[in-house]
Amino acid sequence: MKTILEVKDVYLYFGGVTALNGVNLKLKEGEILALVGPNGSGKTSLLNCICGFYKPQKGRIIYKDRDITKLPPHARAEIGIGRVFQTPYIFHGSVIDNIMVGYVTKQKNPFKLMRMKSAVEAREMAERLIEFVELEMYRKSEALGLPMGIRKRIELARVLMWNPDVLLLDEPTSGLSIDEKRDMARYILELNEVHEKSILLVEHDLSLVHDIAERVIVMDAGVEIAEGSPQEVVKNPEVIKAYLGE
Ligand SMILES: Nc1ncnc2c1ncn2[C@@H]1O[C@H](COP(=O)(O)OP(=O)(O)O)[C@@H](O)[C@H]1O
Ligand SMILES: [Mg+2]
């Protein structure tokens, strides 16, 4: 399988704190790769380096054979890297407006940015995404104050407005009930299998990782300590130590 995204020897420091200490990673086209590890091991920092919110002091990010290390976040979104945050950003307005916000942008030509031709096309896309995340009944509801399960779906639909090829998901099931987790897992699988998204998934729930990820990378203290199938990594002594030490 072809590599769609590569992280090469990335170092990231915050003052005296080393968040990433030489990370290497390859996301293959069409795979679901899970990134797991204790709190503070650098998972979110890594996603931030990939989407351009953080600038690593050293190392490179390669996307579709192109060095994007110097590209600003909006340019990375434009070429197909979508980022979903752990805490969804919800503003005052309807659910559909919260999803459509993807298309209200400071860029001169939002449709080019979103790979769409017109406002009509954008509206149609938003309607399809509402169905995809099963929020039809909330379409016109005020989004502020909706429960976390709904917020997470809004956030997912919003990033899909940009029609990304790569999805960076930061703990998409945190704070969800068991049923809501199952729904989210179903969306992730469908995005991967039907819509051919390549997915880098940060996830705490190892049983969910086991269920949907083909490959897992385990991080601890800013480096990868293990890589393999979900079945393999949970048996790795270094992984067990890192988790028990949390
Ligand atoms: N914006 C920031 N400023 C200072 N330190 C940060 C910042 N973001 C992350 N860190 C530090 O980097 C390390 C990795 O954090 P993070 O990437 O959030 O880990 P994880 O997502 O695996 O829990 C932690 O020590 C954290 O405190
Ligand atoms: Mg995190």
Side-chain angles (χ1 to χ4, degrees):
M1 255 192 304
K2 210 170 167 274
T3 297
I4 187 163
L5 176 80
E6 183 171 3
V7 173
K8 274 187 162 170
D9 211 25
V10 160
Y11 289 79
L12 177 74
Y13 309 101
F14 294 103
V17 175
T18 303
L20 299 173
N21 201 8
V23 176
N24 288 282
L25 170 156
K26 279 181 182 174
L27 177 68
K28 293 172 196 155
E29 210 167 82
E31 84 169 330
I32 298 181
L33 171 62
L35 195 58
V36 307
N39 278 325
S41 55
K43 305 179 299 293
T44 297
S45 297
L46 183 59
L47 295 196
N48 281 335
C49 288
I50 296 172
C51 75
F53 288 145
Y54 288 172
K55 298 265 172 278
Q57 278 84 358
K58 190 173 166 244
R60 293 196 293 154
I61 313 287
I62 312 289
Y63 173 70
K64 294 185 177 175
D65 300 321
R66 172 177 172 194
D67 190 333
I68 61 163
T69 318
K70 297 221 158 70
L71 283 190
H74 72 83
R76 298 189 200 198
E78 183 176 357
I79 57 176
I81 298 176
R83 166 79 198 272
V84 172
F85 292 90
Q86 185 174 353
T87 308
Y89 174 69
I90 303 296
F91 62 87
H92 166 62
S94 67
V95 167
I96 186 105
D97 284 347
N98 268 266
I99 292 172
M100 287 283 287
V101 73
Y103 120 90
V104 184
T105 141
K106 292 197 178 72
Q107 295 304 307
K108 284 202 187 76
N109 185 347
F111 305 120
K112 175 177 164 272
L113 202 61
M114 301 180 73
R115 304 191 240 181
M116 283 175 202
K117 289 186 198 74
S118 66
V120 172
E121 206 180 324
R123 174 65 68 168
E124 283 168 358
M125 178 78 157
E127 297 292 353
R128 282 203 300 279
L129 289 170
I130 285 228
E131 281 174 38
F132 176 75
V133 295
E134 301 169 293
L135 289 181
E136 296 98 323
M137 61 184 288
Y138 292 96
R139 205 178 160 278
K140 290 189 173 152
S141 307
E142 166 61 45
L144 281 181
L146 288 172
M148 186 54 85
I150 307 291
R151 289 165 171 256
K152 292 266 199 189
R153 292 180 197 203
I154 294 172
E155 167 97 356
L156 179 63
R158 183 191 290 144
V159 75
L160 292 172
M161 279 295 289
W162 299 66
N163 198 16
D165 296 324
V166 165
L167 276 172
L168 310 171
L169 307 177
D170 201 352
E171 306 203 18
T173 73
S174 68
L176 302 190
S177 72
I178 290 175
D179 283 345
E180 288 170 337
K181 278 189 186 192
R182 199 167 289 149
D183 288 336
M184 186 56 77
R186 188 159 50 77
Y187 305 145
I188 295 170
L189 274 179
E190 189 172 335
L191 285 169
N192 175 250
E193 288 173 4
V194 182
H195 303 283
E196 301 179 333
K197 310 287 183 200
S198 309
I199 297 175
L200 182 56
L201 167 71
V202 172
E203 180 55 58
H204 257 294
D205 185 333
L206 290 181
S207 74
L208 191 122
V209 165
H210 203 279
D211 259 6
I212 70 173
E214 288 142 65
R215 201 157 63 91
V216 183
I217 287 181
V218 186
M219 286 186 66
D220 189 27
V223 285
E224 328 89 86
I225 58 165
E227 193 239 303
S229 70
Q231 294 82 348
E232 281 162 7
V233 296
V234 292
K235 288 189 232 141
N236 183 309
E238 275 212 69
V239 174
I240 295 166
K241 201 171 119 216
Y243 267 87
L244 290 177
E246 192 178 12

